[in-house]
Amino acid sequence: MNKNILLGVTGGIAIYKVVDVVSRLKKLDYNIKIIMTDSACEFVSPMTFETIGKCDVKNKMFHKNSHKIVEHIDLANWADLFLVAPASANIMAKINHGIADDLLTSTALAYTKPIMFCVSMNTNMLNNPSTQKNIEELKEKNHLIIDSNSGMLACDTKGDGRLKEPWEIVEEVENYFCKKDLKGKKVLITAGATVERIDPVRYITNDSSGKMGYSIAKKAFMRGADVTIISGKTSVDSPYGIENIKVQSAIDMKEQIESCVDDYDCLIMAAAVSDFKVKNRKDLKIKKQDGIHSLELEENPDILKSLNKKENQIFIGFAAETNNLIKNAEKKLNKKNLDYIVLNDVSKKDIGFNSEYNKVSIISKNQILELDKDTKLNIADKILDLIK
Ligand SMILES: Cc1cc2nc3c(=O)[nH]c(=O)nc-3n(C[C@H](O)[C@H](O)[C@H](O)COP(=O)(O)O)c2cc1C
């Protein structure tokens, strides 16, 4: 069933971004109700939120229908999540101290679950000891504080206090609703394509976009795992809130994995690692008159084969094949001492590299699980079910 989000909008200049948040939440099929403070209504007309959110926008505590229901109690009971964005210094101070002098604060007092505050204000207002104390105390009361970003502010200064971007706020909402069945697990995920330099301006790489690895990382993070990504070249944004260590070549990736893999319960190698590197690589740009007409290649070390898997660790590899799919994947599974190998057919244009979709088979020592074509995010969930 679709979740109910009660959005509290306060009087901050970043309110315009919250219109976009509402639009994104609508597209994700959340049910939305909105309360605006009087100050918020000075910045943007309720009509804007009504139109984008396709919902009523409440503002008044006392109005002509108020005898029919006790609206602030009704709204508090209706909400699966109470999101306050932008969260002004004033609203956090009032809610922290239990003040209930308008519809938003009265509803907050009647709401029994954690409230999610998306902090947004001038840097000095944020650093003021009163605001800092309110934030700390709200956290102690189990409320969720979505810290601001650092950057350019409306008052023409640079610093902390900038409201998180709409997509980041939506990620926080999605994370909130996701069940945390991977809590306590440490997962290391590689993504993207490695890059093998020919000279300072040219390189050999492959078509991997990083979407599959990033989808697994995003879902693992949402499900509560402690996630680190090691990624090569990618063409999509790094998932929200996850440490992403950038590397170039297969050797860089190998060194990075070796330095930390022992700390993880699970390694998922979704990166497309180059089998070969350039032997006659040049430190200066190769000129036409240098007369180099062929590249000498040498094999890269096999990362998975070189790792010493600990007893309780789970290693999952990927095989991108174009022919003899199952046979090649099974060979890889045994040769690299993997627990599972995820096989995808990269000869098909509508799935695999660069696509939002994939169709994979998950192969283990004693079974082959063929999954239907699905989004990479849904496939990520199926892969993560293996490490629960
Ligand atoms: C142009 C302008 C921009 C403002 N921006 C912010 C802001 O980003 N964050 C904030 O906490 N207060 C900001 N304020 C001050 C709040 O609007 C003020 O504290 C108000 O009382 C908040 O009321 P509310 O919390 O009930 O919405 C701004 C005020 C003005 C006039």
Side-chain angles (χ1 to χ4, degrees):
M1 214 178 66
N2 297 346
K3 298 284 185 191
N4 298 338
I5 298 178
L6 178 61
L7 173 66
V9 184
T10 75
I13 196 66
I15 193 168
Y16 70 95
K17 285 183 173 176
V18 179
V19 177
D20 189 12
V21 172
V22 172
S23 162
R24 287 166 187 257
L25 292 175
K26 265 322 274 181
K27 286 186 187 127
L28 291 170
D29 274 341
Y30 287 105
N31 304 315
I32 300 173
K33 291 186 181 180
I34 300 174
I35 305 174
M36 291 176 77
T37 62
D38 287 343
S39 311
C41 297
E42 294 288 329
F43 286 80
V44 170
S45 157
M47 198 173 69
T48 306
F49 281 103
E50 269 167 9
T51 310
I52 300 296
K54 314 251 174 310
C55 62
D56 281 345
V57 173
K58 323 270 179 194
N59 166 246
K60 293 276 167 270
M61 186 81 197
F62 306 100
H63 52 85
K64 64 179 187 314
N65 288 331
S66 62
H67 61 281
K68 288 191 190 145
I69 50 162
V70 184
E71 195 160 39
H72 59 291
I73 307 296
D74 204 52
L75 286 168
N77 289 339
W78 174 83
D80 295 309
L81 172 64
F82 195 166
L83 173 71
V84 180
S88 63
N90 177 59
I91 212 72
M92 290 193 290
K94 286 189 355 185
I95 293 176
N96 185 36
H97 288 93
I99 294 171
D101 64 353
D102 63 7
L103 184 61
L104 201 162
T105 48
S106 302
T107 309
L109 204 58
Y111 184 72
T112 52
K113 293 180 285 264
I115 300 174
M116 189 181 278
F117 293 93
C118 301
V119 176
S120 168
M121 66 197 68
N122 158 275
T123 312
N124 292 340
M125 289 173 81
L126 179 63
N127 290 340
N128 186 296
S130 299
T131 308
Q132 286 299 314
K133 191 155 185 271
N134 285 324
I135 289 176
E136 278 320 304
E137 288 177 5
L138 285 166
K139 280 185 191 165
E140 281 162 20
K141 291 168 190 163
N142 268 336
H143 293 298
L144 304 163
I145 302 293
I146 308 306
D147 285 327
S148 57
N149 287 340
S150 196
M152 231 20 230
L153 301 176
C155 44
D156 282 344
T157 55
K158 226 175 165 184
D160 291 340
R162 204 180 139 84
L163 182 71
K164 280 240 178 318
E165 295 309 313
W167 71 270
E168 295 176 305
I169 295 174
V170 171
E171 290 278 333
E172 292 284 354
V173 169
E174 295 258 85
N175 286 352
Y176 177 82
F177 286 122
C178 193
K179 66 174 185 309
K180 305 290 177 230
D181 60 347
L182 295 180
K183 205 167 175 55
K185 295 257 184 243
K186 288 196 76 180
V187 185
L188 183 63
I189 298 164
T190 66
T194 56
V195 164
E196 303 298 337
R197 287 264 155 218
I198 298 169
D199 70 10
V201 296
R202 302 180 181 93
Y203 54 78
I204 299 173
T205 189
N206 59 63
D207 279 331
S208 172
S209 61
K211 274 181 199 159
M212 192 64 240
Y214 280 2
S215 298
I216 300 169
K218 177 180 162 134
K219 282 299 182 117
F221 179 70
M222 283 174 78
R223 289 169 66 169
D226 180 350
V227 183
T228 305
I229 304 171
I230 299 174
S231 67
K233 189 173 72 60
T234 55
S235 55
V236 286
D237 288 335
S238 183
Y240 174 70
I242 305 174
E243 184 190 11
N244 189 348
I245 302 163
K246 289 292 211 174
V247 295
Q248 270 223 331
S249 67
I251 297 274
D252 297 341
M253 186 167 276
K254 177 174 178 283
E255 284 173 1
Q256 196 59 53
I257 295 171
E258 282 172 351
S259 72
C260 64
V261 70
D262 285 352
D263 297 338
Y264 290 84
D265 301 303
C266 176
L267 169 67
I268 303 178
M269 280 285 289
V273 181
S274 172
D275 290 329
F276 299 96
K277 64 179 191 278
V278 179
K279 196 170 180 191
N280 52 341
R281 167 187 166 160
K282 300 291 176 210
D283 291 333
L284 296 177
K285 186 183 166 199
I286 300 167
K287 295 267 195 314
K288 230 192 251 177
Q289 55 270 32
D290 291 342
I292 293 180
H293 296 122
S294 62
L295 291 174
E296 221 183 312
L297 300 179
E298 61 184 337
E299 235 177 273
N300 263 323
D302 187 321
I303 299 179
L304 278 165
K305 235 172 119 183
S306 70
L307 300 174
N308 289 320
K309 186 156 86 78
K310 290 193 295 181
E311 211 177 303
N312 294 328
Q313 279 183 317
I314 297 177
F315 281 8
I316 302 176
F318 271 70
E321 303 286 348
T322 51
N323 56 321
N324 283 336
L325 309 180
I326 301 275
K327 226 174 174 178
N328 284 338
E330 277 176 336
K331 238 199 250 164
K332 219 169 166 181
L333 179 84
N334 293 323
K335 208 171 80 182
K336 300 184 183 219
N337 190 23
L338 293 167
D339 298 280
Y340 301 96
I341 195 148
V342 181
L343 166 67
N344 52 350
D345 179 353
V346 287
S347 68
K348 298 212 168 77
K349 284 275 170 286
D350 59 332
I351 53 169
F353 281 155
N354 258 311
S355 166
E356 296 298 331
Y357 290 87
N358 210 348
K359 181 173 181 339
V360 305
S361 304
I362 299 174
I363 301 170
S364 64
K365 296 222 162 74
N366 38 30
Q367 70 166 330
I368 298 174
L369 184 66
E370 287 202 26
L371 302 183
D372 291 336
K373 180 181 167 183
D374 208 339
T375 62
K376 287 186 173 172
L377 282 170
N378 285 341
I379 287 176
D381 266 333
K382 302 260 168 53
I383 294 168
L384 290 167
D385 285 343
L386 302 169
I387 65 163
K388 268 204 293 198

